[in-house]
Amino acid sequence: MKYELETIPIWDTYTTDPHCPLCTLEKKAENTYIGFFLGNSVMNPELRVQVNRTGFCPDHYAGLYNRGENRHGLGLITQTHLKQVRETLSLGKQAGVVRGSAKKLAALLKKLTKIEEQCMICDRMGNTLKRYAFTIVHLWKKDSSFREKYSRSRGVCLHHLPILLSMSQEALQGGEQERFIRTTLELTDKYLEKAENDLLVFTGKYGFEKANESWGEERFALITSIQKLTGKLLKIQYIIDNTTAHGD
Ligand SMILES: [Zn+2]
Ligand SMILES: [Zn+2]
């Protein structure tokens, strides 16, 4: 498959040395698409037909609403999508039919799952992420300065590791592919180990006798570890907890 190269966002992201460049890039793409679906172009008739048919997943409906912009537009696209969902499910008509038929109930369950899984934002993010993964592999292959930067990066999270490994299969061959995979796995493991060790320090600090110790990098260990495991970027939050107050 042919992918469009997008070298600038890749270079920019690697320059900031994140825990997972694909997490950062995915989050940016997500913000862009949420803005897009709250903008005027969503009123374009062709796009409107697609939105009516596909809609958004629970996370992205929440993301669209929580942006706090253009409630009128979001109301319009949600109303026509809801109308289409009702037509597809025709719950009222099925009420008598589904009862007593395992096959018909299974078909209804399938439709309900599909409605929740379909998402125009997830679809677009998926395509964008493939382009980014392709560009990373391509730059690693062609540009020695990027290859060097890559070897000093923190690898990727476990959520994004599969897309990078699959892309190496598509875009690299033989010894090059082996080298790319080895570097990627070693880096990822190195920083998973760091996250694990930092988390050990982090949890160790929750003992009474260490309550006054100052925090180092391990203060971020929990959010970094969760990101490394799931690909979710969490915000730093300070919990007020009298039994474990650390004065930060
Ligand atoms: Zn990631
Ligand atoms: Zn989604």
Side-chain angles (χ1 to χ4, degrees):
M1 190 161 172
K2 198 117 181 75
Y3 299 98
E4 204 181 307
L5 284 172
E6 289 197 70
T7 59
I8 293 169
I10 300 298
W11 267 110
D12 286 352
T13 306
Y14 271 86
T15 302
T16 64
D17 191 26
H19 292 293
C20 170
L22 287 169
C23 280
T24 307
L25 289 158
E26 189 176 43
K27 190 80 201 158
K28 276 190 191 158
E30 185 177 45
N31 284 335
T32 306
Y33 292 130
I34 286 177
F36 173 80
F37 283 104
L38 289 171
N40 292 332
S41 28
V42 81
M43 292 303 152
N44 157 311
E46 251 174 63
L47 195 59
R48 198 71 194 271
V49 169
Q50 285 180 44
V51 175
N52 288 346
R53 198 172 45 222
T54 310
F56 306 98
C57 68
D59 275 357
H60 287 134
Y61 256 122
L64 287 161
Y65 182 82
N66 290 336
R67 179 69 68 91
E69 291 167 15
N70 196 7
R71 289 270 153 80
H72 179 229
L74 184 58
L76 288 171
I77 60 174
T78 304
Q79 192 264 326
T80 47
H81 172 62
L82 183 55
K83 187 170 185 280
Q84 185 141 352
V85 165
R86 286 194 57 242
E87 280 167 16
T88 308
L89 292 174
S90 54
L91 295 177
K93 272 193 212 147
Q94 294 218 38
V97 185
V98 161
R99 195 164 47 93
S101 163
K103 212 172 148 191
K104 288 195 168 122
L105 186 60
L108 177 62
L109 289 172
K110 207 172 156 187
K111 277 186 188 172
L112 286 166
T113 307
K114 200 174 161 197
I115 286 169
E116 198 171 279
E117 282 174 355
Q118 287 185 147
C119 176
M120 291 204 68
I121 294 178
C122 282
D123 287 351
R124 284 173 187 229
M125 279 165 64
N127 290 334
T128 304
L129 218 62
K130 272 192 187 155
R131 275 206 311 275
Y132 287 147
F134 176 76
T135 309
I136 290 171
V137 176
H138 173 90
L139 281 171
W140 181 88
K141 186 180 174 185
K142 302 275 182 194
D143 185 335
S144 60
S145 54
F146 181 78
R147 191 181 286 217
E148 201 191 308
K149 202 165 195 61
Y150 188 85
S151 66
R152 282 186 278 105
S153 73
R154 299 174 195 240
V156 286
C157 71
L158 292 180
H159 175 70
H160 289 124
L161 188 56
I163 193 174
L164 214 47
L165 296 179
S166 311
M167 195 50 84
S168 79
Q169 218 163 13
E170 254 182 79
L172 299 171
Q173 277 157 0
E176 265 192 331
Q177 195 207 348
E178 274 172 37
R179 272 200 299 286
F180 179 83
I181 289 180
R182 196 174 60 231
T183 307
T184 305
L185 296 186
E186 282 173 0
L187 276 172
T188 299
D189 190 50
K190 181 179 161 186
Y191 283 93
L192 283 176
E193 188 185 15
K194 182 176 176 347
E196 189 194 324
N197 291 336
D198 284 354
L199 205 48
L200 201 61
V201 179
F202 176 94
T203 50
K205 286 207 170 181
Y206 280 87
F208 175 74
E209 69 282 6
K210 292 185 178 174
N212 290 323
E213 267 186 32
S214 60
W215 289 91
E217 208 184 321
E218 68 281 352
R219 70 192 303 167
F220 306 116
L222 187 54
I223 55 173
T224 304
S225 299
I226 292 174
Q227 183 192 348
K228 285 284 186 187
L229 283 166
T230 65
K232 290 274 180 205
L233 287 171
L234 303 176
K235 285 196 184 104
I236 299 164
Q237 286 179 343
Y238 296 103
I239 316 171
I240 310 291
D241 178 347
N242 290 334
T243 59
T244 53
H246 289 276
D248 50 36

